[in-house]
Amino acid sequence: MTGRASAHPQLALNVRLRDDSAFDNFLAARNAEAFDRVVAFAAGAPGPPGLLYLWGERGAGKTHLLEAACRDRHARGERCVYLPLADAGQFAPALLEELEQQALVCLDDLDAVAGERVWEAALFALIERAKASGARLLVAAAANPRHLGLVMPELRTRLGAGGVYQLHALNDDEKLSALGQRARQRGLELPAEVAHYILARHARDTHAVFALLDRLDRAALAAQRRLTIPFVRGFE
Amino acid sequence: MGPSSLWNKCLIQLEEELTAQQFNTWIRPLQAVQDRHVLRLFAPNRFVHDWVKERFAERIASLAKQNHGEPCAISIEVGSLGAAAPVGLSPSPVPSGPASVRPAAGGFVGNLSPDHTFDTHIEGKSNQLARAAARQVGENPGGSYNPLFIYGGVGLGKTHLMHAAGNLMLERNPHTKIAYVHSERFVADMVKALQHNAINAFKKHYRSLDALLIDDIQFFSGKERSQEEFFHTFNALLEGQRQLIITADRFPKELTGMEERLRSRFGSGLTTSIDPPELETRVAILINKALLQGVVLSEDVAFFIARHVQSNVRELEGALCRVIASASFTGRPIDHELANESLRDLLAFRDRLVTINNIQKTVAEYYKIRVSDLHSKSRARQLARPRQMAMALSKELTSQSLPGIGDAFGGRDHTTVIHACRKVAELKTSDSRIKEDYSNLLRILGV
């Protein structure tokens, strides 16, 4: 322990290490093949098809891979965009216009617009334009194209024409590894017993676990404390 | 300071300040160029432009000023720098415009896919007539099969035949001006041409063709202005004995939201259909497509895949693509087992939503006890063992926290859950009945 929590917690300055989604902080585990495909696809490895489709439950790593792909392509000096369709309520299908001019378009949470004809038509049109321009589309959703509830069969078959990969959530041991890796990336010391404690006492889906780690990091920084079981318990 | 370095500095700061999602969605797709004291940003479309302008422009302006070291304004426009222009060297932004009416740098660009030929098309009973008609049109464009109207379900190869006919025309006469366009693109280009006051160039482009191949005409449904324009283009081409090939998902008379005069024109040449391919054709398609990728696919595996993916060729190709990728990644031979594993991701239903309630109900039924027994305080073995089993399954199959699982079993502590999981893990190795019960329950729960 480096110090005691003061009565007036210090404001946590934005000096934490960035741990945004990247390929090198993705724990592939059972998803090794899908991961390999996404890395090659994002890098623009030659060969058809121009659309890769990922599906799986919440916390399986879909968003992580899409954001990482976007980051990777951008670092190569090419244009790319990530679209969270779960927020489609705030957007309009016009958002998809001209996106075929990007090298890579990542479409997350496609299930959020499945069944909405205007969005489906706009997605269909984007796929057709991307085919002509050579842009690549990396798509993620909660189910595979056959079971998304799409109203346009033309869209369904196009989504299934590239590779379709299911992503599987991590098991508890893998979550422990992922938690440790995420903490190291933040320059945070996370003893094994604290990691076990977090998984035993809190929600175990990776989103929730990483969000908790983020809050703990900020709180520990503000309180100038190490991460210990009493600190985590006091944080609850 | 070069333009890219100023924008790159702004990018580093913006990435720090914004959430990953905001940065990836709104900032990464922007392109930048510097004109003296103005940082010009190009958004891919109007929507992104408006969003960035409203929410981030002020901050970008302040970062640009700070990094430039002297007064610097920003401007945000819709358009792009063009793929060939490296940032900062030759800033020649082009506004987004209709792709098909843009003059092509090296002559006429007709969007024909060179891969879709008659050689790469597999003939079967389901497409025999359509193929023969397309070949006839490819050999004698502008003849009696004009327009050629091909209809059928999605992913059956209508587009392939259309391109094959176009490629054959081109092979016989390399000067033929042929354009392939998807109906959606035709509509979008026409709207843009109207916006940019370029409708005459648009009309001229289409009416100067020797052959127009227009795909998925059902997308014209309800779009009256596009139908009107297409009607005139159609007539101009037909009168000049130029070839038209049209595809749709249904028979011309069944196209809803389409003017009667167009529907009857569509049916005035030759109308032919494509049906879903029968098993043998699907097998032949798979073997042929695999060969094109340098892979020899055994008939046995091809039959296996073809039996599982029946409805359309596009998904069949998707399945094959996945199987080949899996073999290449794992170094395994392409056999039944590998094909089965690869197809699972394409065909499987989404993971069944397994909840604690569902697990409790299933376990209670399996052991012929009541759900309330699982919540009770009783430590009798005939109740405690199923309870432990249900707790272990809840930990394995749900993301619930251990205290949450304890709560769902009559308010027990999380340490009880940990104990139950350890106990079941231990019994699974020492007691074959428990091991069998566990796998039976997993099967019943659909995982």
Side-chain angles (χ1 to χ4, degrees):
Chain A
M1 202 181 294
T2 54
R4 295 181 52 204
S6 67
H8 302 286
Q10 181 188 336
L11 280 178
L13 294 174
N14 195 10
V15 291
R16 295 168 301 120
L17 293 175
R18 300 287 298 185
D19 61 351
D20 288 341
S21 305
F23 285 141
D24 58 12
N25 64 8
F26 184 77
L27 185 70
R30 277 186 294 164
N31 303 312
E33 187 185 338
F35 176 66
D36 181 73
R37 280 285 289 131
V38 172
V39 171
F41 186 80
L51 191 148
L52 186 63
Y53 189 100
L54 309 173
W55 65 280
E57 61 189 288
R58 180 185 143 87
K62 303 185 296 293
T63 300
H64 186 129
L65 281 184
L66 263 59
E67 287 186 343
C70 206
R71 183 191 188 94
D72 183 73
R73 198 66 186 244
H74 196 239
R76 294 166 195 266
E78 291 186 84
R79 301 165 77 191
C80 52
V81 63
Y82 165 87
L83 300 181
L85 294 174
D87 295 340
Q90 300 172 45
F91 309 148
L95 173 61
L96 305 183
E97 285 173 9
E98 302 291 337
L99 292 189
E100 69 278 9
Q101 289 173 31
Q102 307 283 312
L104 177 70
V105 180
C106 299
L107 298 165
D108 205 357
D109 303 310
L110 194 77
D111 42 291
V113 295
E116 292 187 38
R117 187 165 276 281
V118 284
W119 273 101
E120 286 193 22
L123 285 165
F124 174 84
L126 174 62
I127 291 172
E128 282 299 309
R129 296 196 306 270
K131 214 190 291 175
S133 72
R136 291 197 162 188
L137 303 182
L138 181 58
V139 179
N144 70 33
R146 288 194 169 198
H147 303 115
L148 261 189
L150 296 165
V151 289
M152 281 180 69
E154 302 92 332
L155 179 59
R156 191 199 74 211
T157 59
R158 277 161 179 79
L159 291 171
V164 174
Y165 287 87
Q166 181 181 5
L167 292 183
H168 303 275
L170 301 178
N171 65 30
D172 277 3
D173 286 341
E174 291 158 354
K175 279 177 202 160
L176 278 174
S177 305
L179 193 55
Q181 183 179 320
R182 186 59 71 113
R184 277 194 299 281
Q185 213 149 16
R186 286 174 163 249
L188 195 62
E189 197 185 323
L190 180 70
E193 69 271 15
V194 179
H196 276 283
Y197 182 84
I198 289 173
L199 278 187
R201 296 297 296 258
H202 291 273
R204 293 175 301 126
D205 87 73
T206 41
H207 279 302
V209 169
F210 288 158
L212 176 65
L213 184 69
D214 183 58
R215 293 201 304 277
L216 285 170
D217 185 13
R218 286 169 193 276
L221 190 66
Q224 296 289 296
R225 294 269 306 269
R226 280 171 194 253
L227 283 186
T228 57
I229 291 179
F231 181 78
V232 177
R233 190 184 294 134
F235 185 75
E236 284 158 11
Chain B
M1 180 186 288
S4 56
S5 63
L6 172 60
W7 178 236
N8 284 344
K9 281 188 175 181
C10 296
L11 281 178
I12 292 167
Q13 285 159 298
L14 286 167
E15 190 171 12
E16 278 293 321
E17 292 175 11
L18 302 177
T19 64
Q21 187 175 306
Q22 285 174 323
F23 188 76
N24 286 326
T25 306
W26 308 110
I27 307 299
R28 283 204 207 274
L30 301 178
Q31 281 185 307
V33 70
Q34 192 178 355
D35 266 352
R36 294 169 61 83
H37 296 300
V38 180
L39 180 65
R40 296 176 68 192
L41 297 175
F42 296 93
N45 59 42
R46 174 65 51 192
F47 196 93
V48 174
H49 167 273
D50 292 351
W51 194 282
V52 171
K53 200 160 188 174
E54 192 179 316
R55 290 164 174 84
F56 306 115
E58 209 174 303
R59 184 60 189 146
I60 294 173
S62 124
L63 287 174
K65 195 174 160 189
Q66 185 186 317
N67 287 317
H68 189 46
E70 43 190 311
C72 179
I74 65 157
S75 77
I76 306 176
E77 301 158 47
V78 178
S80 72
L81 287 167
V87 175
L89 287 181
S90 164
S92 53
V94 287
S96 301
S100 306
V101 295
R102 258 183 229 144
F108 187 80
V109 173
N111 291 335
L112 269 189
S113 159
D115 298 335
H116 291 126
T117 63
F118 286 109
D119 287 342
T120 59
H121 182 258
I122 303 293
E123 185 175 355
K125 275 185 194 163
S126 57
N127 59 29
Q128 229 163 18
L129 285 176
R131 179 186 159 100
R135 184 175 271 285
Q136 173 68 22
V137 162
E139 285 166 356
N140 299 298
S144 51
Y145 294 172
N146 203 12
L148 173 63
F149 190 98
I150 307 171
Y151 71 95
V154 294
L156 298 183
K158 302 185 295 291
T159 306
H160 189 136
L161 278 183
M162 184 180 239
H163 281 282
N167 281 317
L168 186 57
M169 287 179 216
L170 211 56
E171 193 185 306
R172 294 183 156 234
N173 179 4
H175 300 294
T176 314
K177 285 172 73 180
I178 308 172
Y180 163 85
V181 64
H182 192 272
S183 302
E184 185 282 329
R185 188 76 214 179
F186 183 93
V187 173
D189 283 355
M190 197 193 75
V191 170
K192 271 180 211 136
L194 287 168
Q195 282 171 350
H196 292 98
N197 237 349
I199 193 68
N200 286 334
F202 177 87
K203 287 179 181 179
K204 200 174 155 197
H205 167 77
Y206 280 105
R207 293 178 196 183
S208 69
L209 296 168
D210 294 316
L212 173 60
L213 322 181
I214 188 151
D215 211 355
D216 283 328
I217 202 80
Q218 71 273 11
F219 279 84
F220 277 4
S221 171
K223 298 182 176 89
E224 288 164 18
R225 181 71 178 83
S226 299
Q227 289 182 29
E228 170 83 20
E229 183 49 48
F230 184 68
F231 180 74
H232 294 302
T233 301
F234 184 100
N235 285 339
L237 292 177
L238 225 53
E239 278 163 22
Q241 292 187 308
R242 267 84 53 87
Q243 182 67 45
L244 274 141
I245 307 180
I246 300 165
T247 70
D249 64 349
R250 65 200 79 174
F251 191 68
K253 292 280 172 209
E254 291 167 7
L255 287 166
T256 49
M258 198 80 81
E259 285 181 42
E260 178 50 38
R261 58 178 181 166
L262 262 181
R263 281 190 300 203
S264 65
R265 284 275 198 294
F266 290 160
S268 63
L270 180 74
T271 300
T272 178
S273 69
I274 299 186
D275 295 321
E278 61 281 11
L279 181 65
E280 291 76 9
T281 307
R282 296 202 299 279
V283 168
I285 289 170
L286 284 169
I287 291 174
N288 193 51
K289 294 276 177 192
L291 267 183
L292 285 175
Q293 296 186 50
V295 174
V296 179
L297 189 70
S298 75
E299 255 188 36
D300 192 32
V301 175
F303 265 102
F304 178 81
I305 300 172
R307 271 199 201 95
H308 283 84
V309 185
Q310 301 176 358
S311 55
N312 65 81
V313 181
R314 204 175 278 129
E315 281 183 327
L316 202 61
E317 288 182 25
L320 176 69
C321 164
R322 171 64 209 270
V323 171
I324 293 175
S326 288
S328 147
F329 179 76
T330 57
R332 287 163 55 188
I334 301 181
D335 54 15
H336 270 217
E337 198 188 344
L338 183 93
N340 192 27
E341 285 168 23
S342 308
L343 289 179
R344 203 179 299 147
D345 290 0
L346 182 68
L347 305 176
F349 272 100
R350 61 200 296 173
D351 283 352
R352 204 163 136 186
L353 193 62
V354 182
T355 61
I356 296 183
N357 280 345
N358 193 0
I359 291 170
Q360 289 177 336
K361 214 173 133 222
T362 307
V363 169
E365 270 170 25
Y366 185 82
Y367 287 108
K368 300 192 173 40
I369 57 173
R370 290 168 303 183
V371 172
S372 60
D373 292 333
L374 296 174
H375 299 165
S376 75
K377 299 285 175 211
S378 167
R379 292 185 183 187
R381 198 166 177 182
Q382 67 270 27
L383 301 183
R385 195 66 84 227
R387 190 184 297 128
Q388 288 171 336
M389 194 70 111
M391 284 180 176
L393 285 165
S394 300
K395 176 173 178 281
E396 178 75 23
L397 303 178
T398 75
S399 285
Q400 275 292 328
S401 68
L402 303 191
I405 296 172
D407 271 351
F409 284 83
R412 288 177 158 80
D413 191 72
H414 77 280
T415 53
T416 311
V417 181
I418 292 173
H419 173 73
C421 296
R422 282 195 189 131
K423 190 75 193 166
V424 170
E426 187 188 305
L427 287 171
K428 274 198 307 186
T429 58
S430 61
D431 186 334
S432 58
R433 255 190 17 218
I434 296 284
K435 189 181 169 195
E436 198 185 323
D437 285 352
Y438 195 84
S439 40
N440 284 343
L441 283 163
L442 281 178
R443 189 174 40 77
I444 298 167
L445 286 161
V447 287

